[in-house]
Amino acid sequence: MKIFKKTSNPMFWLTNAKYFQGLTLICVLLFQVNIYGQKKEKTCIECHKRTIKKEILHGPASDCISCHKPNGKKHPVEDIESFTYLEEGADLCFSCHDEEKDAIIKNKYVHKPVAKGECSECHEIHSSNDPKFIFAKAPDLCYFCHDEIEKIIEESTLVHSPATDEDGCIGCHSPHSSSRKKLLISGGRELCLSCHDKTITVDDRKITNIGKLLEDSKFVHEALEKSCNACHDPHASNNKFLMTTSYPTGNYAKGTEENYEMCFECHDADLLLEERTKYATEFRDGDRNLHFLHVNKEKGRTCNNCHSLHGSSREHLIPETVKFGKWNMPLVFKNYEDGGSCKGCHKEKRYTR
Ligand code: HEC
Ligand code: HEC
Ligand code: HEC
Ligand code: HEC
Ligand code: HEC
Ligand code: HEC
Ligand code: HEC
Ligand code: HEC
Ligand code: HEC
Ligand code: HEC
Ligand code: HEC
């Protein structure tokens, strides 16, 4: 009561101004502590600096709750599971990337990690130094899971350079999905001809323009109809010319079945092995097998002497010239209904079935 009386008297305030000032100061101080306390409540980024540390931010990255949904638990005190995702797996990504959805997963062949919704196996989610938010460029990105391919490439004597170039793997394979087997980005031989439609020079060597060769060929080897992989490994090989299996490419080699494994994956080896035959080959004089005669010996003449493996302007894939070192020997071949004849290594010799 006393105090009330006193404070209701204006003189009280004037005479006790110094106490009043002190009280105000305390109030202001208390108020400031309160503000300070609120400032202390950190934002997501203050505690999780690492998430947005890298150069390029993923579009929504700074808006954490566009993907992480609080579930009511106090964060991070109670336990760390105070957030769930707005959607699970790939659905989370497609909730914004709906335009890309079809291109990424609506194909016949879907890359396993994509099908399982494991986008973050390859993509960084919050920030990245790569504009496509991938952890590393191919081939390293791919080797992370495909050590079998890395091993083949490391252990082979001949490596196809696009396989190890930066982004090389995705020059032939889609990282997500494809309408074609093995996630290939284009079909059969078109994939290869996208580069092999010109002469490629490596060191001093000129690699044949296969695209042009095929354009100029009246007869194309049917082995190429499906793709080039029947004979070449697209990644690496221990055989010359990236051959999948053994095949001698010089002018002479021992005429055994093993040496010509590549051809006999599709053709019957009897065309080479039967000395006398009426069925195994059309290259015969009566029943004398001329494949056997030319090829089947210690220093046999290889198939290359008479066949151009990709295509030719002549029947039976017979080339117009045969390479002997630097010399291109003209080979004159005539095709008859019951046989043929050749002039080149020898005077014209004819065979008749
Ligand atoms: C006061 C610091 C702090 C703040 C503020 C904070 N976090 Fe955390 N957060 C942590 C700690 C500590 C962990 C547990 C360790 C870790 O995983 O980094 C954690 C874990 C997480 C995890 C992982 C949970 C899991 O299941 O693995 C997510 C997601 C997360 N925080 C999101 C957020 C979001 C979103 C915000 C803002 C709304 C936020 N945090 C604010 C400290 C904080
Ligand atoms: C585009 C959706 C998205 C946004 C936006 C997002 N996150 Fe995440 N976050 C994820 C996904 C998905 C994972 C799980 C990643 C994984 O599987 O490796 C994750 C994991 C985490 C983790 C645990 C693993 C880690 O990387 O440390 C933390 C912490 C986290 N996020 C915090 C945040 C914070 C903080 C923000 C805002 C700055 C944020 N997130 C924004 C999708 C998102
Ligand atoms: C909340 C919306 C949202 C979610 C969810 C989201 N993104 Fe994004 N994402 C964006 C935006 C916005 C951009 C920036 C687009 C631009 O720059 O044109 C982007 C860009 C990207 C890019 C680069 C795109 C390009 O064309 O260069 C990739 C890759 C990507 N996001 C992957 C993912 C993945 C993987 C997930 C799922 C973990 C995901 N995003 C989830 C909104 C989202
Ligand atoms: C095996 C690794 C891998 C997985 C898994 C993966 N991506 Fe990608 N993603 C890539 C690569 C590599 C690129 C860059 C492609 C390029 O540069 O042409 C890319 C690019 C993208 C882009 C940019 C647009 C484009 O096509 O170039 C988006 C969006 C994207 N990915 C979303 C996703 C989503 C969503 C998932 C999960 C459903 C996913 N990715 C899973 C490797 C992957
Ligand atoms: C996160 C792991 C992972 C990464 C990273 C990855 N892959 Fe795969 N990939 C797989 C799995 C799992 C399979 C399925 C293997 C199986 O079924 O035997 C597969 C299969 C494949 C196939 C064969 C598909 C088929 O139809 O047989 C190709 C081609 C392929 N991956 C290419 C790539 C390329 C190119 C990259 C890099 C851009 C890459 N992968 C990165 C996990 C991965
Ligand atoms: C010049 C094109 C080309 C390049 C570059 C390339 N590939 Fe391939 N890859 C192919 C073709 C073609 C096939 C299918 C071979 C077959 O069916 O015989 C294939 C098959 C595969 C397979 C499936 C293997 C199997 O036995 O089923 C995987 C995995 C693969 N490639 C991964 C990679 C990786 C990783 C890289 C990068 C280091 C890469 N490829 C680079 C063309 C390429
Ligand atoms: C991205 C361009 C590119 C694509 C696609 C490509 N190649 Fe090549 N290829 C090259 C280059 C460059 C060389 C030169 C030698 C090297 O660098 O490996 C070459 C060399 C070759 C050689 C000769 C190797 C030697 O040293 O004698 C063969 C055989 C070959 N490629 C087959 C193929 C086949 C089969 C395909 C399709 C599966 C293919 N290439 C697709 C670029 C390509
Ligand atoms: C029937 C097996 C076979 C098929 C199928 C095949 N090749 Fe070849 N390729 C060979 C042989 C054998 C050589 C070795 C040199 C020669 O005889 O021309 C070779 C050599 C090459 C060379 C190296 C040429 C040089 O001058 O160094 C390239 C490049 C090449 N092939 C690309 C292709 C492409 C592209 C395709 C698909 C359009 C293909 N090959 C299909 C058997 C084949
Ligand atoms: C992927 C399967 C395949 C492989 C490997 C293959 N070929 Fe063929 N080849 C065929 C087919 C199919 C034909 C057309 C049908 C026929 O004449 O037998 C053909 C036709 C030919 C012809 C033309 C026949 C004619 O009378 O017109 C010759 C020559 C030939 N192959 C030689 C070879 C040689 C040499 C090899 C080994 C370097 C080889 N082929 C490897 C599938 C193959
Ligand atoms: C001395 C030349 C010569 C050599 C070497 C040669 N061929 Fe032939 N080949 C021919 C002629 C000529 C024909 C066409 C026969 C006919 O139909 O009149 C032929 C036909 C073929 C055919 C069609 C089927 C058949 O037998 O009639 C195949 C397949 C074939 N050769 C594969 C090979 C293979 C594989 C090699 C190496 C192991 C080889 N050739 C070596 C000249 C040769
Ligand atoms: C690389 C050199 C070479 C080429 C190319 C060649 N031949 Fe021969 N040919 C020979 C030799 C050498 C003989 C003798 C027999 C032997 O010593 O093997 C022979 C023998 C023959 C004989 C048997 C003659 C006899 O009376 O004994 C005939 C028939 C024949 N060749 C036809 C052909 C035809 C047809 C072609 C073209 C498709 C051809 N040759 C291409 C080297 C060649």
Side-chain angles (χ1 to χ4, degrees):
M1 277 297 130
K2 262 186 187 171
I3 289 172
F4 175 71
K5 261 190 189 163
K6 273 185 187 167
T7 51
S8 61
N9 178 353
M11 282 312 286
F12 167 86
W13 291 103
L14 286 173
T15 49
N16 292 291
K18 55 179 184 232
Y19 302 114
F20 173 63
Q21 275 168 359
L23 203 67
T24 316
L25 200 68
I26 288 165
C27 285
V28 167
L29 271 175
L30 279 173
F31 187 62
Q32 274 180 345
V33 167
N34 195 25
I35 284 180
Y36 186 64
Q38 273 177 8
K39 259 194 184 161
K40 212 46 195 158
E41 187 120 340
K42 293 187 179 174
T43 61
C44 314
I45 291 166
E46 279 177 290
C47 290
H48 295 289
K49 284 196 191 73
R50 200 172 55 85
T51 52
I52 55 158
K53 199 176 66 183
K54 294 191 179 167
E55 199 61 29
I56 309 165
L57 294 187
H58 184 195
S62 50
D63 181 16
C64 314
I65 52 170
S66 61
C67 293
H68 296 284
K69 189 170 67 174
N71 60 15
K73 292 186 185 165
K74 194 160 164 46
H75 183 76
V77 185
E78 274 182 39
D79 59 47
I80 58 165
E81 285 168 4
S82 31
F83 291 94
T84 52
Y85 296 105
L86 259 74
E87 310 248 11
E88 287 300 321
D91 290 340
L92 177 64
C93 312
F94 296 133
S95 68
C96 292
H97 292 282
D98 52 345
E99 280 177 34
E100 285 109 322
K101 184 172 177 175
D102 285 1
I104 293 174
I105 55 163
K106 280 266 168 66
N107 273 312
K108 189 158 178 216
Y109 301 97
V110 182
H111 200 191
K112 199 96 148 279
V114 173
K116 284 162 74 183
E118 296 167 347
C119 313
S120 58
E121 288 286 336
C122 295
H123 290 285
E124 296 185 274
I125 309 293
H126 305 105
S127 63
S128 177
N129 294 328
D130 180 277
K132 304 279 183 188
F133 300 108
I134 45 176
F135 284 104
K137 291 271 188 200
D140 293 336
L141 178 72
C142 315
Y143 291 163
F144 186 64
C145 297
H146 292 286
D147 50 354
E148 80 285 5
I149 302 284
E150 182 179 22
K151 199 155 169 269
I152 291 170
I153 288 175
E154 263 178 9
E155 290 173 359
S156 298
T157 48
L158 183 61
V159 174
H160 195 203
S161 68
T164 48
D165 286 347
E166 185 172 290
D167 280 346
C169 314
I170 58 172
C172 292
H173 298 283
S174 160
H176 301 132
S177 66
S178 169
S179 56
R180 297 183 182 83
K181 279 193 179 155
K182 308 290 174 197
L183 305 170
L184 293 171
I185 55 167
S186 68
R189 60 196 213 203
E190 272 61 51
L191 178 69
C192 309
L193 296 179
S194 67
C195 288
H196 290 287
D197 60 350
K198 50 194 153 309
T199 307
I200 298 173
T201 311
V202 205
D203 303 327
D204 283 341
R205 198 160 65 97
K206 284 203 184 334
I207 293 178
T208 315
N209 179 341
I210 304 289
K212 176 148 195 323
L213 189 154
L214 295 180
E215 256 172 41
D216 295 346
S217 296
K218 213 167 132 201
F219 303 92
V220 170
H221 192 182
E222 271 184 46
L224 275 69
E225 286 297 299
K226 270 207 203 137
S227 70
C228 313
N229 316 331
C231 302
H232 297 289
D233 191 301
H235 307 128
S237 164
N238 283 325
N239 301 314
K240 279 175 82 180
F241 303 108
L242 299 170
M243 234 73 92
T244 46
T245 51
S246 59
Y247 175 75
T249 51
N251 291 96
Y252 304 101
K254 199 172 167 183
T256 58
E257 191 176 345
E258 300 80 62
N259 246 350
Y260 294 95
E261 200 183 335
M262 194 166 92
C263 310
F264 301 134
E265 266 175 23
C266 299
H267 299 287
D268 194 332
D270 283 353
L271 75 83
L272 170 64
L273 304 174
E274 301 268 305
E275 189 171 359
R276 301 218 163 248
T277 179
K278 285 244 173 221
Y279 69 91
T281 180
E282 298 293 279
F283 189 33
R284 59 191 157 85
D285 197 31
D287 68 350
R288 201 169 161 213
N289 182 345
L290 296 177
H291 273 131
F292 182 92
L293 179 86
H294 285 91
V295 187
N296 195 343
K297 27 184 87 147
E298 193 59 36
K299 193 185 168 207
R301 294 170 201 91
T302 55
C303 324
N304 272 30
N305 286 304
C306 298
H307 297 297
S308 171
L309 268 287
H310 302 100
S312 166
S313 56
R314 291 210 188 121
E315 288 89 350
H316 314 303
L317 304 176
I318 310 277
E320 291 186 20
T321 59
V322 179
K323 244 177 131 60
F324 279 93
K326 286 202 169 126
W327 182 45
N328 285 320
M329 178 190 81
L331 181 65
V332 184
F333 171 70
K334 288 193 194 126
N335 191 41
Y336 303 111
E337 194 137 309
D338 61 349
S341 76
C342 273
K343 196 169 84 178
C345 286
H346 39 63
K347 290 188 284 180
E348 181 161 343
K349 281 185 195 291
R350 183 165 175 175
Y351 63 96
T352 317
R353 286 182 293 266

